[in-house]
């Protein structure tokens, strides 16, 4: 029988954890699964809530508790160590799976396995992106082009662990999450998977299969930009592979992303700084962006 470990990192969001667990309980897939929740040193009141949720749940849940807050990549490494099933899926606290997600992805896995492929693969899926207080936006994972290039661009194919199902070995063989990346360790992990010969697959269904509840509030623009810089330096040879224009566009987009985070956290000084950095890299493109935003306003 197919067995699955569902890995959930958690930090100071018991209501989000409860939401995620409810979405797991609604899955139509009937395989055997185990949920592993790793709490990353939540504050005492939230930790008590997490323990109550785990104790009262009808789901099979194993819980791991970090004594202190160690960060998302460390906690994901704890979860990697906990894997004990044939397959693995990830889900972040506060996000949701739609009921057919696992069933559709395992149907795809069966089709790929029947072709006797030896190349490691992860099955991703389309998803809804829902800004807090806003409407859902459908996003499609395009897996039929140059996957490495599309991951570096980050618009047609995005590095989100909670979209995935794959074999245990396909995750373990990538190695540890980079603990020097407090943010965006997903992207680094995806890049390394592709470089190790891995491939991303999509289900036959074009339906969205999960929802990402998105908010920039409380996220540090400087930290986001630093993580992007670290990934750029770590994988510079890959950015160089696609030429100077590609590389400069990626740096421009990194500055624009940091400006967005600063704006959404009401930090005008940082926003203007990153917009100026973006302007210096691609002045014509920045002018077009400003004019476009002016027309929308």
């Amino acid at each position: 029988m197919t067995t699955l470990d569902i890995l959930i990192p958690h930090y100071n969001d018991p209501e989000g954890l409860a939401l995620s667990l409810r979405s797991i309980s609604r899955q139509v897939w009937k395989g055997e699964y185990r949920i592993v929740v790793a709490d990353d040193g939540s504050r005492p009141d939230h930790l008590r809530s997490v323990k109550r949720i785990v104790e009262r749940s009808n789901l099979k849940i194993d819980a791991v508790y970090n004594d202190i807050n160690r960060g998302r990549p460390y906690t994901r490494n704890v979860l990697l160590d906990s894997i004990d099933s044939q397959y693995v899926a990830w889900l972040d606290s506060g996000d949701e799976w739609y009921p057919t997600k696992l069933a559709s992805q395992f149907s795809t896995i069966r089709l790929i396995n029947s072709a006797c492929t030896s190349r490691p693969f992860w099955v991703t899926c389309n998803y809804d992106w829902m800004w807090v207080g806003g409407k859902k936006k459908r996003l499609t994972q395009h897996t039929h082009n140059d996957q490495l290039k599309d991951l570096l661009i980050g618009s047609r194919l995005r590095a989100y662990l909670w979209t995935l199902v794959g074999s245990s070995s396909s995750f373990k063989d990538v190695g540890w999450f980079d603990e020097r990346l407090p943010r965006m360790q997903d992207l680094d992990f995806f890049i390394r998977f592709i470089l190790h010969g891995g491939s991303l697959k999509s289900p036959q269904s074009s339906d969205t299969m999960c929802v990402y509840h998105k908010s920039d509030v409380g996220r540090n623009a400087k930290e986001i930009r630093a993580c992007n810089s670290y990934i750029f330096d770590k994988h510079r040879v890959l950015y160089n592979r696609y030429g100077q224009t590609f590389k400069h566009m990626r740096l421009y987009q990194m500055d624009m992303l940091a400006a967005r985070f600063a704006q959404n956290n009401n930090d005008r000084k940082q926003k203007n700084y990153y917009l100026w950095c973006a302007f210096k890299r691609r002045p014509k493109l920045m002018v077009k962006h400003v004019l476009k935003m002016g027309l929308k306003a």
Side-chain angles (χ1 to χ4, degrees):
M1 180 180 290
T2 299
T3 59
L4 173 71
D5 280 344
I6 301 171
L7 309 179
I8 305 178
H10 171 270
Y11 180 63
N12 283 341
D13 186 19
E15 291 182 1
L17 175 62
L19 179 73
S20 299
L21 292 175
R22 285 196 296 271
S23 77
I24 295 173
S25 68
R26 294 170 183 147
Q27 293 297 299
V28 300
W29 182 69
K30 300 303 181 184
E32 182 180 343
Y33 63 83
R34 175 185 71 126
I35 301 167
V36 184
V37 175
D39 180 83
D40 186 26
S42 292
R43 72 189 200 199
D45 56 330
H46 287 161
L47 183 59
R48 287 193 294 270
S49 295
V50 169
K51 290 181 176 180
R52 282 197 298 270
I53 290 169
V54 171
E55 291 169 0
R56 296 174 183 178
S57 177
N58 293 324
L59 301 169
K60 183 180 179 181
I61 303 175
D62 291 341
V64 183
Y65 302 101
N66 296 344
D67 291 336
I68 59 173
N69 179 241
R70 301 294 296 269
R72 179 64 63 87
Y74 177 93
T75 303
R76 282 177 165 163
N77 286 333
V78 169
L79 288 166
L80 277 177
D81 268 344
S82 74
I83 293 173
D84 193 36
S85 293
Q86 184 181 4
Y87 288 96
V88 168
W90 299 80
L91 181 57
D92 288 348
S93 295
D95 297 324
E96 300 175 80
W97 290 346
Y98 295 147
T100 60
K101 179 181 185 291
L102 292 180
S104 180
Q105 289 179 307
F106 273 111
S107 177
T108 302
I109 287 172
R110 286 194 296 272
L111 287 173
I112 297 172
N113 284 340
S114 68
C116 299
T117 179
S118 60
R119 186 178 182 184
F121 65 89
W122 294 338
V123 179
T124 183
C125 65
N126 301 332
Y127 59 93
D128 289 323
W129 194 340
M130 189 174 206
W131 284 93
V132 174
K135 296 181 179 180
K136 291 180 182 178
K137 177 182 178 182
R138 174 192 169 91
L139 290 174
T140 301
Q141 292 281 72
H142 297 275
T143 58
H144 51 278
N145 297 315
D146 183 334
Q147 293 184 355
L148 185 57
K149 184 177 183 180
D150 282 346
L151 284 169
L152 295 176
I153 294 172
S155 57
R156 293 170 56 85
L157 183 62
R158 287 181 167 89
Y160 289 137
L161 281 168
W162 38 261
T163 68
L164 302 178
V165 175
S167 68
S168 298
S169 61
S170 70
F171 288 101
K172 290 181 176 180
D173 290 348
V174 178
W176 302 115
F177 289 93
D178 192 329
E179 294 182 15
R180 290 165 291 187
L181 283 167
R183 301 285 181 185
M184 304 180 66
Q185 66 268 182
D186 301 42
L187 176 57
D188 175 69
F189 201 74
F190 272 65
I191 290 171
R192 286 156 47 209
F193 174 67
I194 300 298
L195 292 177
H196 279 78
S199 177
L200 296 165
K201 306 293 184 181
S202 296
Q204 290 181 315
S205 172
S206 62
D207 294 341
T208 56
M209 297 182 185
C210 46
V211 54
Y212 176 27
H213 293 286
K214 174 69 174 170
S215 174
D216 289 347
V217 176
R219 296 186 176 183
N220 188 301
K222 186 176 181 180
E223 182 180 68
I224 293 292
R225 187 62 183 87
C227 289
N228 256 318
S229 294
Y230 176 81
I231 290 173
F232 180 82
D233 289 337
K234 182 176 182 178
H235 300 291
R236 184 181 293 268
V237 65
L238 303 179
Y239 288 91
N240 288 337
R241 176 187 298 179
Y242 297 107
Q244 289 297 311
T245 299
F246 177 87
K247 183 170 66 174
H248 291 152
M249 275 298 299
R250 302 287 68 75
L251 292 168
Y252 168 84
Q253 292 294 345
M254 291 174 194
D255 288 329
M256 292 298 288
L257 178 64
R260 189 196 82 193
F261 274 89
Q263 176 176 309
N264 289 343
N265 285 282
N266 300 312
D267 191 332
R268 181 177 296 181
K269 183 177 179 180
Q270 271 203 339
K271 181 194 79 170
N272 291 338
Y273 169 76
Y274 289 120
L275 289 176
W276 174 245
C277 291
F279 174 78
K280 289 191 294 183
R281 295 186 194 280
R282 307 286 294 185
K284 291 183 179 179
L285 191 59
M286 174 56 76
V287 170
K288 289 181 180 179
H289 172 77
V290 171
L291 291 174
K292 182 179 179 182
M293 296 305 294
L295 288 173
K296 286 184 177 181

